[in-house]
Amino acid sequence: MRAAAQCLRGVAHRTPRITSRTLDERAGVRAVLKAELLQRTGSFKFRGAYNKIASIPPEQRARGVLTFSSGNHAQAVALAASLLEAPATIVMPADAPELKLAATRGYGAGVVTYDRYSQDREQIGREIAEERGLALVPPFDDPLVIAGQGTAALELVEDSGGLDMLLAPVSGGGLIAGCATAVKALCPDARVIGVEPEAGDDYQRSLEAGRRIAIDVPHTIADALQVTTPGELTFAINRELLEGIITVSDAELVEAMRFAFERLKLVLEPGGAAGLAALLAGKLESRGTAYIGVILSGGNVDWGRFCQLLGTGTPASAE
Amino acid sequence: MRAAAQCLRGVAHRTPRITSRTLDERAGVRAVLKAELLQRTGSFKFRGAYNKIASIPPEQRARGVLTFSSGNHAQAVALAASLLEAPATIVMPADAPELKLAATRGYGAGVVTYDRYSQDREQIGREIAEERGLALVPPFDDPLVIAGQGTAALELVEDSGGLDMLLAPVSGGGLIAGCATAVKALCPDARVIGVEPEAGDDYQRSLEAGRRIAIDVPHTIADALQVTTPGELTFAINRELLEGIITVSDAELVEAMRFAFERLKLVLEPGGAAGLAALLAGKLESRGTAYIGVILSGGNVDWGRFCQLLGTGTPASAE
């Protein structure tokens, strides 16, 4: 992970840590937020994508890279590939947020769409990659991707002088696997807890069952957290390092997005708000003195979609 | 100003500097943004308020402080006073954004409202202050307030290794007077340019006339920039140090707010977007290699108001 941090130095942003007295009072905690929504391409995904693509030998890079992604990893691969001069092909769900599709194309990548609810993106991706001789950049189930994502927590621990707990969203499990590895290495007593949407609790069920369980594509507003089963490698790491998983409802995600907008002045996408939602909804046992790190993982959300989710009738402050 | 920086150390946030390749490409510049919307109380005003109140002798502080403000300075004084254990009374316009009124009360201050378009806030404020023996904390026309605000630019120059130009919003002129003082001391060749709403161009007219000109209360969406005449002290500083003033329309402010939301993931209030609006609207002569600092001065805007301003019909990315 130190090697990943070295690889990302001067390329990825060292995103700011944010504290808020209002948040601490509201949630009854002492929290420090890692603003990965301010990372390049609007989410932590740039860390893993760049670290992975940088490791591909130049002659292979020149032939090109391919990935499949619900959106944030797509943008990350598109930008990282462009910085490293590798042509990129991205397999994305046809119903991905317009902003994510447009941004991915804007970074110069070729986009192939598929139907999230009926087609298997991995199969499509692997077929195209083989056909065209492209290197695969997996969205989460890869040691170099996981190491890249973990640098977010590495920075947060370094900048905060230690943590008692870390909360991070869970989809395929790459972010939290990397973060847990970093946190446990630097603060062995710290507890690491993942946060999933209620409707997409495949990781919670899998940890409880002790094996990877697959669910149907979850219907949740958190488009970034719609993966249906834990990664193989991420699961092996997370079952060792995580204390557990908390789930949050779509309504709790929206409340967290509203709080972030009005009090933190930050734009969070639904999935990026999962950790904050767990705090605000009181899902942790109260522990006033613990120092809790929270990864705000992404902010890629259309303005139109944001309005739809938060509603426009009543100013929140008047509620 | 170094003394102000010392006074604020560990109390005010050292706010992050933000860069965006998308912004640079869109505006044809190389920009570095100072995210003062992430400052405590949501705007740069906390710097000056705290620096000023900290300088008041303890026995006077204990009797209390008073200020008049369109909102951001109000919240800043309320929080700074509370941290320094001084009771605070704030004279605010009755039509100030609900979020600003609520936040000011939330920090424990007493609020007295007045009609922005018919009553003189300074007179009301001075009367109450005299009657109750309260120390006045002016919103801009005060050396310690100006020095506090200038620490925003001091940090930006330090963190950026020098600037060729600085853009900052102008209302009473305290922010830009402090920032210009810092920038000119550290980078004597740098140009400092203020940005005002078209409807509230009192500073531009005053600089052109060489004397302070008063206008009617401007009708603009930038509620933080509705001051009607330059401060006496700020004008004396700014006429020496500023290269000039650029004005932006309300529509240009809205476009900048939209860009900040979708691409920077930051919530800007209309007045806080003035510098960014000037960049995006192409109001500077093109200078591709100049390194331009921009103060994003505040983010205190109701969710309902934000929707009203940006409209909700069409996702921007589809336009």
Side-chain angles (χ1 to χ4, degrees):
Chain A
M1 198 162 302
R2 295 280 179 199
Q6 186 57 41
C7 170
L8 295 174
R9 201 177 310 272
V11 181
H13 294 321
R14 189 175 183 102
T15 53
R17 52 191 283 285
I18 310 256
T19 57
S20 158
R21 200 171 75 145
T22 309
L23 171 61
D24 289 358
E25 282 168 6
R26 179 88 57 100
V29 298
R30 213 156 56 90
V32 54
L33 312 173
K34 179 68 168 170
E36 281 297 297
L37 68 159
L38 303 179
Q39 186 52 266
R40 295 181 80 170
T41 70
S43 88
F44 71 94
K45 288 282 191 180
F46 179 74
R47 297 174 182 269
Y50 190 92
N51 190 49
K52 174 67 179 177
I53 297 172
S55 79
I56 298 171
E59 62 278 17
Q60 170 61 55
R61 274 216 303 265
R63 278 202 296 279
V65 298
L66 175 140
T67 197
F68 35 87
S69 161
S70 64
N72 283 334
H73 179 63
Q75 291 181 66
V77 168
L79 176 60
S82 133
L83 294 173
L84 292 161
E85 298 180 357
T89 303
I90 320 277
V91 180
M92 291 180 78
D95 66 342
E98 184 52 39
L99 189 73
K100 295 185 181 180
L101 287 162
T104 304
R105 293 191 182 102
Y107 290 124
V111 172
V112 177
T113 59
Y114 73 99
D115 176 12
R116 191 197 291 265
Y117 298 99
S118 68
Q119 294 184 284
D120 180 345
R121 67 179 189 176
E122 291 209 28
Q123 197 189 328
I124 297 171
R126 287 183 203 283
E127 279 170 15
I128 300 174
E130 196 162 328
E131 203 176 287
R132 305 186 191 169
L134 308 175
L136 202 64
V137 184
F140 47 84
D141 222 14
D142 179 280
L144 289 165
V145 171
I146 292 171
Q149 319 305 30
T151 59
L154 189 66
E155 291 173 7
L156 185 59
V157 171
E158 284 175 358
D159 294 347
S160 307
L163 290 175
D164 298 313
M165 189 188 295
L166 183 81
L167 293 178
V170 173
S171 184
L175 172 64
I176 200 155
C179 288
T181 304
V183 168
K184 288 291 189 181
L186 298 171
C187 316
D189 293 336
R191 302 154 62 199
V192 180
I193 297 176
V195 186
E196 271 185 329
E198 271 175 12
D201 62 346
D202 54 299
Y203 234 107
Q204 186 177 52
R205 291 200 214 178
S206 300
L207 288 175
E208 281 168 11
R211 63 187 171 81
R212 294 161 63 217
I213 287 180
I215 60 172
D216 289 339
V217 177
H219 287 269
T220 164
I221 60 170
D223 59 276
L225 308 182
Q226 286 183 304
V227 170
T228 56
T229 191
E232 209 174 312
L233 176 59
T234 67
F235 187 68
I237 297 170
N238 287 326
R239 65 185 298 184
E240 292 303 316
L241 299 183
L242 298 200
E243 173 165 302
I245 300 274
I246 290 171
T247 63
V248 291
S249 68
D250 280 0
E252 287 162 349
L253 290 175
V254 168
E255 262 322 291
M257 290 168 71
R258 183 190 289 277
F259 181 89
F261 182 97
E262 291 213 320
R263 303 308 304 235
L264 308 178
K265 323 300 176 192
L266 297 176
V267 178
L268 286 178
E269 62 180 283
L276 184 61
L279 270 193
L280 288 169
K283 297 281 172 107
L284 296 173
E285 316 102 82
S286 169
R287 36 186 63 241
T289 57
Y291 198 33
I292 305 181
V294 181
I295 311 282
L296 303 180
S297 53
N300 289 319
V301 53
D302 288 354
W303 164 244
R305 176 76 176 142
F306 198 88
C307 285
Q308 208 177 32
L309 291 172
L310 265 68
T312 57
T314 320
S317 51
E319 277 171 3
Chain B
M1 197 161 302
R2 295 280 180 199
Q6 186 58 39
C7 170
L8 295 174
R9 201 177 310 271
V11 181
H13 294 321
R14 188 175 185 103
T15 53
R17 53 190 282 283
I18 309 255
T19 57
S20 158
R21 202 171 75 145
T22 309
L23 171 61
D24 289 358
E25 282 169 6
R26 180 88 57 101
V29 298
R30 213 156 57 91
V32 54
L33 312 173
K34 179 69 168 167
E36 281 298 296
L37 68 159
L38 302 179
Q39 187 50 268
R40 295 181 81 168
T41 71
S43 87
F44 72 95
K45 288 281 191 180
F46 179 74
R47 297 174 182 269
Y50 190 92
N51 191 48
K52 174 66 180 178
I53 297 172
S55 78
I56 299 171
E59 62 278 17
Q60 170 61 55
R61 274 217 303 264
R63 279 202 295 281
V65 298
L66 175 141
T67 196
F68 35 87
S69 162
S70 63
N72 283 335
H73 180 64
Q75 292 181 66
V77 168
L79 176 60
S82 135
L83 295 173
L84 292 160
E85 297 180 358
T89 302
I90 319 278
V91 180
M92 291 180 78
D95 67 341
E98 183 54 37
L99 188 73
K100 295 185 180 180
L101 287 162
T104 305
R105 293 192 182 102
Y107 290 123
V111 172
V112 177
T113 60
Y114 73 99
D115 175 14
R116 191 198 290 265
Y117 298 98
S118 68
Q119 292 183 285
D120 181 346
R121 68 179 189 177
E122 292 211 26
Q123 197 189 327
I124 297 171
R126 288 182 203 286
E127 279 171 16
I128 299 175
E130 197 162 326
E131 202 175 287
R132 306 187 190 169
L134 308 176
L136 201 64
V137 183
F140 48 82
D141 222 13
D142 180 280
L144 289 166
V145 171
I146 292 171
Q149 319 304 31
T151 59
L154 189 65
E155 291 174 6
L156 185 59
V157 172
E158 284 175 358
D159 293 347
S160 308
L163 290 175
D164 299 311
M165 189 187 296
L166 183 82
L167 294 177
V170 173
S171 185
L175 172 64
I176 201 156
C179 288
T181 304
V183 167
K184 288 291 190 182
L186 298 171
C187 316
D189 293 338
R191 304 154 63 199
V192 180
I193 297 176
V195 186
E196 269 184 330
E198 272 174 10
D201 61 347
D202 54 299
Y203 234 107
Q204 186 176 53
R205 291 199 214 178
S206 298
L207 288 176
E208 281 168 10
R211 63 186 172 80
R212 295 161 63 217
I213 287 179
I215 60 173
D216 290 339
V217 177
H219 287 269
T220 164
I221 60 169
D223 58 278
L225 308 181
Q226 287 183 303
V227 169
T228 56
T229 191
E232 210 174 311
L233 176 58
T234 68
F235 186 69
I237 297 170
N238 287 326
R239 67 185 296 184
E240 291 302 317
L241 300 183
L242 297 200
E243 173 164 301
I245 300 273
I246 290 171
T247 63
V248 290
S249 68
D250 280 0
E252 288 163 348
L253 291 175
V254 168
E255 262 322 291
M257 291 167 72
R258 182 190 289 276
F259 180 88
F261 182 97
E262 291 215 320
R263 302 308 305 234
L264 308 177
K265 322 300 176 192
L266 297 176
V267 178
L268 287 178
E269 61 180 284
L276 184 61
L279 269 194
L280 287 169
K283 297 280 172 108
L284 296 173
E285 317 101 83
S286 169
R287 37 186 63 241
T289 58
Y291 199 32
I292 305 181
V294 181
I295 310 281
L296 303 180
S297 54
N300 290 318
V301 53
D302 287 354
W303 164 242
R305 176 75 175 140
F306 198 88
C307 285
Q308 208 177 32
L309 292 171
L310 265 68
T312 56
T314 320
S317 51
E319 276 172 3

